Amino acid sequence: MLELCRLRLVQLHGVPASATELGIAVAPAQLDNLADWHRHSAFDARDRACLAFTEVYAADAQAITDALADAVKAHSGDAGLVALIEALGLLDGMLRTERLWSAINASGGDGNVDATAR
Amino acid sequence: MMRDSALGLVPETLEHYVALGQALWSAGPLGPAELEVARLRNARRVNCVFCKNVRYDIALQDGLTEARIASIDDGYQDSDLSERDKLIIAWVDQFYTSPGEVPDALAARLKAQFSDAELAHLALAVLYFSGFSRCAVALGGMPEELPLMKISVPE
């Protein structure tokens, strides 16, 4: 589930990333239709609850409604919701950091940030 | 305090969260006052009421004042903040607004003011602050106002 959410964040950020870089398998039908998760049959109610939550989280955590949170809790419990939020913080933050670091390194300013510091 | 929050529902991850926070605040080239500038700017961007009203004691001991904190707001570019503080704020803003499109002038100023190790420390700290504050916001139940609270880094 977390890998599905991570891959959706990757799509939302518009960055190239491998679906296999973490070695976590995702069903090919889900991988091929992730952008269309709202209506594709490869996604069940739990998937949709988590992906809907992920999309709003990435845009603005303040915009998360009780209904979005309740939908996740209905399938994963209170602890599942907390675990998802913690994971999204890390995954979305890593994507933003990666993009920021790469952009600074690629800029025409003086010197390069040491790529090995990544 | 973190263990008493909703984060305590997942102890398997909480201990790692706490350990990362301790490492970021106690080690690395940036001092607590500069880290607090990043944390407070992040709190404003995310609008985490709790985060905005917390002051870490080690940052105050490191010289952070309420006058300096008051400048960590929109219009900070024209404030009396140091160039380093202004760049820390700019990093946080860039993280949220357009992380993939950093103006060359900003990149050059960052490279001129910070070592590679300092930028890596800042990057990790902002990632951590962002994740933690958005946890608080996403979980909901945030009061509209809170008094200022001086706390220590969670152990």
Side-chain angles (χ1 to χ4, degrees), chain A residues 13-84:
Chain A
H13 278 281
V15 294
S18 166
T20 59
E21 64 190 7
L22 296 185
I24 300 170
V26 172
Q30 290 188 325
L31 207 52
D32 293 342
N33 298 285
L34 185 53
D36 195 31
W37 63 265
H38 308 79
R39 51 187 157 280
H40 197 277
S41 60
F43 302 90
D44 62 20
R46 179 170 176 250
D47 298 331
R48 291 178 188 187
C50 291
L51 288 166
F53 193 98
T54 297
E55 290 193 352
V56 177
Y57 178 96
D60 180 3
Q62 288 188 95
I64 292 169
T65 63
D66 288 347
L68 281 168
D70 288 345
V72 174
K73 284 195 283 189
H75 298 284
S76 303
D78 288 350
L81 174 64
V82 172
L84 176 63

Side-chain angles (χ1 to χ4, degrees), chain B:
Chain B
M1 181 166 56
M2 287 173 73
R3 290 182 176 81
D4 296 331
S5 72
L7 298 181
L9 290 172
V10 192
E12 300 90 336
T13 55
L14 178 59
E15 296 310 318
H16 297 288
Y17 229 120
V18 171
L20 177 58
Q22 287 178 326
L24 286 168
W25 282 103
S26 63
L30 295 182
E34 288 188 326
L35 289 174
E36 188 75 329
V37 169
R39 191 189 66 78
L40 288 167
R41 182 61 175 184
N42 174 79
R44 283 157 174 71
R45 296 245 26 143
V46 177
N47 195 26
C48 174
V49 177
F50 178 78
C51 307
K52 285 193 287 190
N53 287 281
V54 158
R55 305 285 185 267
Y56 278 99
D57 53 7
I58 56 173
L60 300 177
Q61 291 159 15
D62 193 35
L64 189 68
T65 63
E66 284 301 320
R68 188 169 163 193
I69 291 170
S71 297
I72 307 172
D73 224 326
D74 292 343
Y76 73 90
Q77 297 96 331
D78 300 321
S79 72
D80 292 332
L81 289 174
S82 69
E83 171 74 349
R84 284 172 66 94
D85 280 355
K86 290 178 180 177
L87 287 168
I88 287 170
I89 294 170
W91 178 286
V92 175
D93 287 0
Q94 205 73 35
F95 177 91
Y96 283 108
T97 55
S98 49
E101 299 166 7
V102 180
D104 283 350
L106 174 57
R109 288 169 61 205
L110 283 163
K111 292 173 187 174
Q113 284 288 331
F114 295 95
S115 68
D116 290 349
E118 287 176 324
L119 285 180
H121 193 194
L122 177 61
L124 283 173
V126 171
L127 197 168
Y128 175 81
F129 298 147
S130 170
F132 184 64
S133 62
R134 289 198 284 173
C135 265
V137 170
L139 286 167
M142 190 89 66
E144 290 189 11
E145 290 184 25
L146 282 171
L148 291 183
M149 295 170 284
K150 187 168 78 171
I151 66 171
S152 300
V153 175
E155 295 181 357

Side-chain angles (χ1 to χ4, degrees), chain A residues 8-15 58 91-93 95-96 99, chain B residues 95 99:
Chain A
R8 184 59 184 144
L9 287 172
V10 166
Q11 289 181 337
L12 294 172
H13 278 281
V15 294
L91 297 171
D92 185 69
L95 283 167
R96 289 177 187 276
R99 295 185 69 201
Chain B
F95 177 91

